[in-house]
C-alpha cells in the first residue's frame, strides 16, 4: 500500500502565506483526524505532541499527528532504514538528509506521488513552486513525480531573535528595536530579577542552533538565530508571532554589540 510522504517542516514554507487568513479559514477536516508520523532527525529528536508548533498545527487543521519513531534509536538514518525494512509505514515520513531516499523509495512505489494532492489541495505550495521553478525541479524525481516537500527558508527572515515578553512586561520594558535598546534590555534582564525568584540567576542572552523548537530559550531572556543568506539578525516581537519586526542589524554591528555584552 502506498503512503504519503512529506516533511512536517513544510508547514514553515506554507504557513507565512496563510498568516492573514488562517483564523477565518475552515479546518481541513470536518471531524478530528489522527495521522501517524515517523519523524526522527538529527539523531535524537522525534515528533512530540506537546510542541507549541504541534498544538497550533492541530488547532488550525483539526489534524493530530501521532509519533511512531522511537527515541531508543540514536541514529536517524538507522531509524529510517529499520522503518523501510519493516514495510509498515505511517501516514507521513519526515526527517533530514533523506531526499535521495524519498526519491528512490517513491519511484519504487513505497510513497504516494504528491503532484495531484498539491494541485488540488495545496494552493500556497503550488504557487510557491510555480514562482520558484528551480526548487520544483530540484525536488522532482526522474519519473516526473514529487514525493517529498523540502524545508525552504523563504523571504527576508530565515532566522530571527526571540525575546521573553513576560520578562519585558514584568520590568515595564518595550521590545528593543535597535542594538543599543537591546543592550539596555539585556542589562535589565540580568540585574532586575525578571523571573522573580530573588536571585541574580537570569541569563540575558543565549544562542541556539540545530534545535527543533524554542524550548532552549526559556531559561534566557533572548535567543538568536542568524540569517544565512543576508547575514543579518531580526527581532521577533511577539510570543507565538510568525512575523518578525522590520528592525534588523548587520552582522558587524551585532559582533560589536556582542563584544560589549561579553565584557559586561
Amino acid at each position: 500500500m502506498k503512503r504519503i510522504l512529506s516533511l512536517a517542516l513544510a508547514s514553515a514554507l506554507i504557513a507565512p502565506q496563510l498568516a492573514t487568513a488562517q483564523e477565518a479559514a475552515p479546518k481541513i477536516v470536518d471531524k478530528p483526524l489522527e495521522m501517524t508520523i515517523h519523524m526522527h532527525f538529527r539523531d535524537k529528536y522525534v515528533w512530540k505532541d506537546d510542541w507549541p508548533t504541534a498544538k497550533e498545527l492541530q488547532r488550525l487543521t483539526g489534524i493530530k499527528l501521532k509519533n511512531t519513531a522511537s527515541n531508543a534509536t540514536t541514529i536517524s538514518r538507522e531509524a529510517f532504514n529499520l522503518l523501510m525494512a519493516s514495510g509498515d509505514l505511517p501516514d507521513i515520513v519526515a526527517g533530514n538528509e533523506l531526499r535521495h531516499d524519498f526519491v528512490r523509495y517513491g519511484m519504487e512505489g513505497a510513497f504516494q506521488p504528491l503532484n495531484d494532492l498539491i494541485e488540488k489541495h495545496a494552493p500556497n505550495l503550488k504557487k510557491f513552486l510555480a514562482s520558484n521553478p528551480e526548487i520544483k525541479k530540484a525536488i522532482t524525481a526522474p519519473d516526473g513525480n514529487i514525493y517529498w516537500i523540502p524545508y525552504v527558508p523563504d523571504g527576508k527572515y530565515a532566522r530571527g531573535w526571540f525575546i521573553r515578553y513576560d520578562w519585558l512586561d514584568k520590568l515595564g520594558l518595550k521590545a528593543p528595536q535597535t542594538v543599543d535598546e537591546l543592550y539596555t534590555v539585556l542589562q535589565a534582564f540580568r540585574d532586575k530579577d525578571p523571573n522573580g525568584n530573588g536571585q541574580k540567576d537570569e541569563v540575558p542572552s543565549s544562542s541556539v542552533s540545530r534545535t527543533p523548537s524554542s524550548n532552549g530559550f526559556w531559561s534566557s531572556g533572548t535567543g538568536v538565530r542568524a540569517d544565512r543568506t543576508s547575514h543579518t539578525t531580526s527581532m521577533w516581537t511577539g510570543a507565538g508571532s510568525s512575523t518578525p519586526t522590520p528592525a534588523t542589524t548587520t552582522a558587524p554591528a551585532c559582533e560589536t554589540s556582542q563584544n560589549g555584552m561579553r565584557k559586561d
Side-chain angles (χ1 to χ4, degrees):
M1 178 179 180
K2 291 184 179 180
R3 299 284 184 169
I4 299 173
L5 180 144
S6 177
L7 289 183
L9 295 180
S11 60
L13 183 153
I14 304 170
Q17 302 177 62
L18 296 175
T20 59
Q22 61 188 194
E23 293 297 331
K27 286 183 168 59
I28 293 177
V29 293
D30 296 328
K31 297 180 180 180
L33 175 66
E34 182 174 279
M35 300 180 70
T36 53
I37 178 172
H38 173 99
M39 184 178 184
H40 196 300
F41 61 110
R42 293 172 184 162
D43 295 333
K44 55 184 175 181
Y45 301 116
V46 298
W47 180 267
K48 293 185 180 297
D49 294 344
D50 60 354
W51 283 349
T53 300
K55 292 179 180 179
E56 185 68 0
L57 179 66
Q58 183 177 350
R59 184 185 73 83
L60 292 172
T61 65
I63 300 173
K64 179 179 180 179
L65 299 182
K66 180 181 179 181
N67 173 61
T68 63
S70 173
N71 268 327
T73 303
T74 58
I75 302 175
S76 293
R77 162 62 60 180
E78 180 179 294
F80 177 80
N81 290 342
L82 290 172
L83 173 71
M84 299 308 300
S86 74
D88 184 17
L89 304 185
D91 297 305
I92 301 172
V93 177
N96 63 305
E97 300 180 0
L98 294 173
R99 58 187 181 277
H100 298 301
D101 300 275
F102 294 160
V103 170
R104 170 193 167 189
Y105 287 109
M107 292 178 63
E108 291 179 1
F111 302 120
Q112 178 177 333
L114 302 178
N115 306 53
D116 290 343
L117 293 173
I118 293 173
E119 179 69 27
K120 296 176 182 178
H121 304 294
N124 293 293
L125 179 55
K126 176 183 176 181
K127 180 179 178 180
F128 178 87
L129 294 177
S131 301
N132 297 271
E134 71 285 357
I135 294 177
K136 182 177 182 180
K137 180 180 179 180
I139 65 173
T140 300
D143 63 1
N145 288 318
I146 294 174
Y147 296 102
W148 63 291
I149 301 174
Y151 164 66
V152 181
D154 180 34
K156 184 176 181 179
Y157 301 99
R159 298 291 186 269
W161 285 86
F162 294 79
I163 192 164
R164 290 284 298 264
Y165 256 59
D166 56 336
W167 286 10
L168 289 174
D169 293 342
K170 179 74 176 294
L171 301 179
L173 300 172
K174 294 182 179 180
Q177 299 297 310
T178 66
V179 172
D180 289 339
E181 291 177 3
L182 173 61
Y183 184 76
T184 300
V185 166
L186 295 182
Q187 284 184 314
F189 281 175
R190 181 193 64 188
D191 299 334
K192 296 185 177 180
D193 192 29
N195 68 14
N197 69 353
Q199 301 179 38
K200 190 176 179 180
D201 57 359
E202 290 81 0
V203 179
S205 182
S206 66
S207 61
V208 178
S209 63
R210 298 182 69 85
T211 56
S213 70
S214 60
N215 291 340
F217 294 129
W218 294 133
S219 62
S220 63
T222 64
V224 62
R225 290 179 181 274
D227 186 319
R228 302 175 185 175
T229 55
S230 62
H231 303 292
T232 65
T233 61
S234 55
M235 178 66 68
W236 290 66
T237 61
S241 170
S242 61
T243 306
T245 65
T248 61
T249 58
T250 62
C254 286
E255 184 174 353
T256 300
S257 173
Q258 288 170 358
N259 287 336
M261 293 174 191
R262 291 189 189 103
K263 292 179 182 178
D264 286 352

